[in-house]
Every structure is written in C-alpha cells, then in structure tokens.
Amino acid sequence: MFQLEFMRNAFVASTFIALTCGVVGVFVIARNLSFLAHTLSEIGFAGASFGVFTGLAPLDGMLFFTMISAVAVGEMATEQSRREAAIAAISSLFMGLGILFLSLANKSASYATNILFGSIIGISVQEVWQLVVLSIIMLIVMFFAYRYLVFDSFDSVGARVQRLPKHLLSILFLLLLAISVSIGAQIVGSLLVFVLLTLPASSARYLVHTVPRMILVSVILALAGVWGGLVLGYYTNWPVTFFIATIEVVIYLGTLLWDRRATGD
Amino acid sequence: MATDKPLLQGQDLAMTFADRPIFSHVNFTIPRGAMISLVGANGSGKTTLTRILLNVLKPTTGKVLTSAGEQRLRVGYVPQFRNLDRDYPLSAEAFVQLNQLSHFWPWHTTKEKRQLHDILKETRLTKLAKTPLGMTSGGEKQRAYLAQALVNDPELLILDEPTASLDVAVKHELIGLVRQLNQQRGLTVLFVTHDLPMAREYTDRYLLLQNGQMTSGNAAALTDEMITD
Ligand SMILES: Nc1ncnc2c1ncn2[C@@H]1O[C@H](COP(=O)(O)OP(=O)(O)O)[C@@H](O)[C@H]1O
Ligand SMILES: [Mg+2]
C-alpha cells in the first residue's frame, strides 16, 4: 500500500495529526473543553468552505476561522454555563455559514462531505509539509509552556493561588486547540476530529495517573486509531474515518469497563 | 519560637465589595514561626482577607507589609473549595508535583524529586503516592492539598477551613500534623476556621473578624459567645 503516493502522504499526515491531537487532547479533557473542541470543528468547516469560496486553501481558511474564534471564546464570559450557551449559538451560525459559502462557491455536495468527514485522497505533498511544520511548532510551544499548562489544566484553583498567568495560558491553549482542529480535519474531517481530540485522552485518564504517561498513552491510542483506520480503509474501501471512530470508541468503552473492574464497582 | 520581626503585618486594611463594606480598620501582625487562627462567622470576610494576603485581591484601602518590605512572601495555600471528582486522574504524587515550578522543562530535577519525596513522607502520603486522588478519602485529599502547598517550601502556610467537611478524628489528624510542622520546622501558619475548639487546641493566638472589625488575643481565651452567626 505504500507504493501509492497518496497513501504515503496520508500516513505521514495522520501520524502527525495523531501526535498533536493525542497531546492536546489530554489538556482538552483536563480543562473540560470537549464541547468547545466540537464547536471549533464546526467553525473549521465554515472556515474551509470560506476558503473554497474565496480561493484560499481549505486549511488556511480553517486556521483563520478557528484561531479567531478561539481568541473570541477566550475573551468571552468566563462563567461556564453562559459560555456553553453562547458557544452553542455561535456554532449553529457557523454551520449555516459553511453551507452558504459552499453553495456560493458552487461546489458539489461531495466536497462538503470531504470537509466534514475527511478524505485521505485529497491531501497533497505540500499540504502534508504544512501540516508537519504546524505540528512541530505546536509541540515546541507546548514543551516550553508545559509545566504552567499542566498546573493550570489539572488544578485551576492551585494555579490561581500561585498567580500563574491564567488568561494568557487559556488563550494560548485555545490557539493550540484551534490549530489541532484544523490540521486534524484534513484526514478525519472536521466533524470527527473531535474523536481524536477527546477519546484517546479520555481513555488514558483511566489507565495511567501522571501527565507524561497520559500523554504517552493518549498518543499511542490516537496512533492506533489512525494507522488502523488507514490500513483497514485501504483493504476494505470503506471510509477511513469510520474505522478511526470505531477503533477509538471501542478502546474507550473497553477502558471504562476495565476501570469499573479495577475499582470494584 | 517567634522572633521579634513579624513575618507579615496588615495595616489598616479595609475591603468593600460594590458599596458593601466587609471589614475596615483591620490591623494585625503574624510573627514568624507562630500558628495563628483566623476565626469569625460565615461571611465575616475570612476568605476575603486571605485572598488579600495572597495578593490575588487588592484591598480597598490599607496595605500588607512583609518582613522583606513590600516584597511578596512565598505562601502555601490550601483553599476552602477544591472539588476533585471521582474521575480525577492524577496520583497524589503527580498532584503535589504540579506546584513545582522552579524550572519550565517537563522533566523534574533530582532536587525536585527529593523535595517531593520528603514532603510526601512528612504528610504521610508515601503509601498513597501512586493512587489517583479521585479515589482517596476526604482527609487524604486534604493531606495532598497540604503537601502541594508545602512542596516549594513556603514561608507562610494559609489553610482556609480545611476541616469543614472532615469527621472528628481525621480533622485532628490533619491539624495535628500541621501543628507538628509548625513546631518542628518553624513553619508560620494561619489557620482559618470557625471551629473554636480546634482553634483553642492548636493555635497560639487568634484573630477574630466580627461585625467588620478585627480583634485578637490568646487562643486559649476564645469562647463560643465570641462568634454569633
Ligand atoms: N468577589 C466578591 N464580590 C462580591 N462580594 C463578595 C466577593 N467575595 C466575597 N464576597 C462577600 O463578602 C462576604 C465575606 O465573604 P468571605 O470572605 O468568603 O467570608 P468567610 O470566608 O468568612 O465565610 C460575603 O458576604 C461574600 O458574599
Ligand atoms: Mg471562607
């Protein structure tokens, strides 16, 4: 299967996607941001179709939309309940906008399907490079912010007491999340990037109990999903995304059962 | 054990939230090495005062002086509310490590590991080091909060009603441990509580917030009539 160039591209791209989503996902779960990750992927859909409409690359359109929204959310009401309601409203608006841009751009429905549910055939060498560079930049930023991000994410109260720059950390993390959503969407699609950002990390928290180990397990589970998905997709001709989602869900349910048994209830 | 120069001094502190005065003309000193209780009814402003001492809240008037002038002290704080649910994944050890911030790189230094080891031992958490905090008891969680507050060697420890949700035996175990740290290594402690028997038993002096004013005295002299809810 590696004779085919698009398979090689898809393999490299999804490896880096799994790496970044696996790392970022640990913080998404700790900060309780699954819901926002979902919304950002819908915003990403609007961004991609905006890109198509204006002639930008879909990835650039996505980055543009999600990063602006991330900063906006960071500046918005801090109260959790109100924030979620506002986010839900905004996401409906963006889904609508995405469909509008696509129809204005005169693209067929299959194009929308590609953006929403991903496509492994569409990705070019140049896009792979862009994605790899973005991932590496993200990982470097996370390296330098690591201890502060970990403290703020796993013990918000303690971080405030130690006067960590919470607002700055929150904006920084939302930007990292926006970038992961945008690059993840290239393979698994904007609707299912959510899967890679939440399930591997959710599984990891039941299996191991330090942050470095959670990151390691989360990345391994994300890799298992995308690699497994690509191989199975190649041999069956079924959508890769279907396999990725299925693998991650099965692992997640498995860890839930395992944890039940381990704690005896 | 207290030496002459106070660690911390509040000078004419006042706090008003949107036209609602909480307290005013608050003066007090906390001598180095002392264990002092801050008592008062619910809503009297105890937490507000600790937040001012921590520098996360600016008083409406007045100032806080430290032994080093206006410079900030290293303060360890065990907050009143910190609900970690049953799914909270970090082990006690990993939770304590969060507060080790002397470097930014992800791995911990030998010195940090030794500090972690020592504090886990002092707070009797060694056996629980690898247990997810979500699965520990209320008293064990409080000891982990205490360990986290102490791991970077603060000059002052503030405990905000740490015993409110604990049963009697566990409550005495926790504050007994704090008292031991206070006496053995001269840690200065501000113990916020509205449990007067605890304040009498474990602290040297009290600070009392009542009707927007502060009074102080020997903890042994605290009586139940002094707090009216
Ligand atoms: N940020 C705030 N804004 C407005 N009012 C506040 C704020 N923080 C505390 N208060 C009010 O100040 C009073 C004192 O609160 P607090 O310091 O928490 O009391 P205590 O800790 O003694 O129970 C309460 O009536 C509380 O409602
Ligand atoms: Mg209080």
Side-chain angles (χ1 to χ4, degrees):
Chain A
M1 60 190 255
F2 290 110
Q3 266 92 30
L4 298 169
E5 185 186 334
F6 78 86
M7 275 311 279
R8 282 201 303 274
N9 287 347
F11 226 84
V12 174
S14 47
T15 301
F16 275 88
I17 288 169
L19 200 60
T20 45
C21 287
V23 176
V24 170
V26 168
F27 298 93
V28 170
I29 298 304
R31 300 173 82 93
N32 244 324
L33 289 179
S34 312
F35 188 68
L36 180 62
H38 191 245
T39 305
L40 275 179
S41 39
E42 286 167 358
I43 293 173
F45 165 65
S49 40
F50 178 74
V52 170
F53 170 55
T54 56
L56 279 171
L59 176 58
D60 296 334
M62 268 192 183
L63 284 170
F64 181 61
F65 269 44
T66 53
M67 289 175 78
I68 287 181
S69 319
V71 174
V73 168
E75 299 294 344
M76 246 163 45
T78 43
E79 206 181 311
Q80 186 80 13
S81 60
R82 192 180 299 175
R83 195 157 121 166
E84 296 211 339
I87 292 171
I90 291 172
S91 83
S92 325
L93 176 67
F94 274 98
M95 280 308 271
L97 280 177
I99 292 165
L100 173 68
F101 288 136
L102 276 184
S103 98
L104 290 179
N106 265 323
K107 287 286 178 176
S108 64
S110 76
Y111 201 89
T113 317
N114 277 357
I115 297 178
L116 284 172
F117 300 107
S119 148
I120 54 161
I121 312 184
I123 193 157
S124 69
V125 182
Q126 195 202 340
E127 283 168 326
V128 172
W129 270 112
Q130 194 181 1
L131 192 152
V132 169
V133 169
L134 276 173
S135 308
I136 292 174
I137 293 174
M138 280 184 62
L139 294 173
I140 291 173
V141 170
M142 302 215 46
F143 177 88
F144 284 106
Y146 180 80
R147 285 203 195 187
Y148 307 98
L149 215 47
V150 168
F151 198 174
D152 189 43
S153 305
F154 284 88
D155 182 17
S156 175
V157 174
R160 177 169 303 117
V161 171
Q162 293 301 325
R163 293 160 53 94
L164 260 55
K166 289 182 75 76
H167 186 67
L168 199 69
L169 286 168
S170 155
I171 300 276
L172 173 74
F173 180 72
L174 290 170
L175 285 174
L176 292 172
L177 179 58
I179 300 174
S180 339
V181 165
S182 304
I183 61 182
Q186 304 304 308
I187 290 282
V188 294
S190 58
L191 285 184
L192 283 160
V193 67
F194 174 69
V195 167
L196 283 182
L197 276 168
T198 53
L199 291 186
S202 300
S203 307
R205 81 201 309 251
Y206 292 108
L207 300 175
V208 286
H209 304 296
T210 70
V211 183
R213 285 185 195 169
M214 274 159 59
I215 289 176
L216 183 71
V217 170
S218 171
V219 167
I220 290 174
L221 297 181
L223 281 173
V226 294
W227 286 347
L230 280 176
V231 171
L232 291 170
Y234 179 80
Y235 287 111
T236 59
N237 267 329
W238 288 8
V240 170
T241 309
F242 161 74
F243 288 112
I244 297 177
T246 307
I247 292 171
E248 298 302 350
V249 168
V250 167
I251 294 174
Y252 177 64
L253 295 178
T255 53
L256 278 186
L257 287 177
W258 183 85
D259 183 64
R260 279 278 159 78
R261 222 168 298 163
T263 58
D265 62 24
Chain B
M1 196 178 306
T3 55
D4 35 356
K5 196 156 188 213
L7 184 70
L8 196 75
Q9 226 174 332
Q11 276 188 351
D12 208 30
L13 293 170
M15 191 69 221
T16 302
F17 285 121
D19 294 339
R20 200 161 68 88
I22 307 297
F23 50 71
S24 61
H25 304 296
V26 162
N27 289 287
F28 59 90
T29 55
I30 299 179
R32 194 180 287 277
M35 180 148 165
I36 305 235
S37 47
L38 172 57
V39 295
N42 268 329
S44 59
K46 302 183 297 295
T47 297
T48 302
L49 182 58
T50 63
R51 292 178 64 211
I52 291 172
L53 298 183
L54 282 166
N55 235 327
V56 289
L57 185 69
K58 230 179 110 53
T60 313
T61 64
K63 58 185 166 191
V64 177
L65 295 178
T66 72
S67 57
E70 299 266 355
Q71 214 185 315
R72 265 173 32 82
L73 295 173
R74 285 195 313 279
V75 184
Y77 185 60
V78 178
Q80 183 170 8
F81 301 105
R82 171 144 63 189
N83 288 327
L84 303 185
D85 60 27
R86 237 189 129 277
D87 277 346
Y88 188 78
L90 291 193
S91 64
E93 183 179 74
F95 179 80
V96 173
Q97 273 183 321
L98 293 175
N99 197 17
Q100 292 189 310
L101 296 168
S102 51
H103 307 287
F104 68 81
W105 50 83
W107 53 90
H108 288 272
T109 60
T110 320
K111 184 178 169 213
E112 286 174 323
K113 284 181 191 150
R114 201 186 55 236
Q115 280 176 325
L116 174 71
H117 173 262
D118 291 349
I119 200 67
L120 288 176
K121 202 168 150 199
E122 273 185 308
T123 51
R124 298 173 206 140
L125 285 170
T126 308
K127 264 196 222 141
L128 288 168
K130 310 282 181 208
T131 309
L133 219 49
M135 286 162 55
T136 59
S137 71
E140 290 161 351
K141 281 196 187 74
Q142 288 291 352
R143 291 216 302 280
Y145 303 159
L146 176 65
Q148 193 207 60
L150 292 175
V151 76
N152 54 12
D153 199 21
E155 294 155 281
L156 171 67
L157 174 70
I158 302 179
L159 302 150
D160 196 353
E161 309 217 23
T163 58
S165 59
L166 302 180
D167 58 40
V168 181
V170 178
K171 175 165 104 171
H172 282 275
E173 189 194 351
L174 181 75
I175 303 305
L177 176 64
V178 172
R179 182 58 158 168
Q180 210 179 326
L181 293 170
N182 161 252
Q183 289 175 334
Q184 284 172 3
R185 48 150 136 160
L187 178 71
T188 312
V189 181
L190 182 66
F191 171 37
V192 180
T193 183
H194 63 243
D195 188 332
L196 293 185
M198 292 294 287
R200 269 197 301 266
E201 182 167 348
Y202 291 102
T203 63
D204 309 313
R205 289 181 67 77
Y206 73 83
L207 304 172
L208 168 67
L209 274 174
Q210 177 90 307
N211 304 323
Q213 304 292 312
M214 179 177 278
T215 52
S216 64
N218 279 324
L222 276 170
T223 59
D224 292 349
E225 301 84 70
M226 294 169 95
I227 294 185
T228 43
D229 262 293

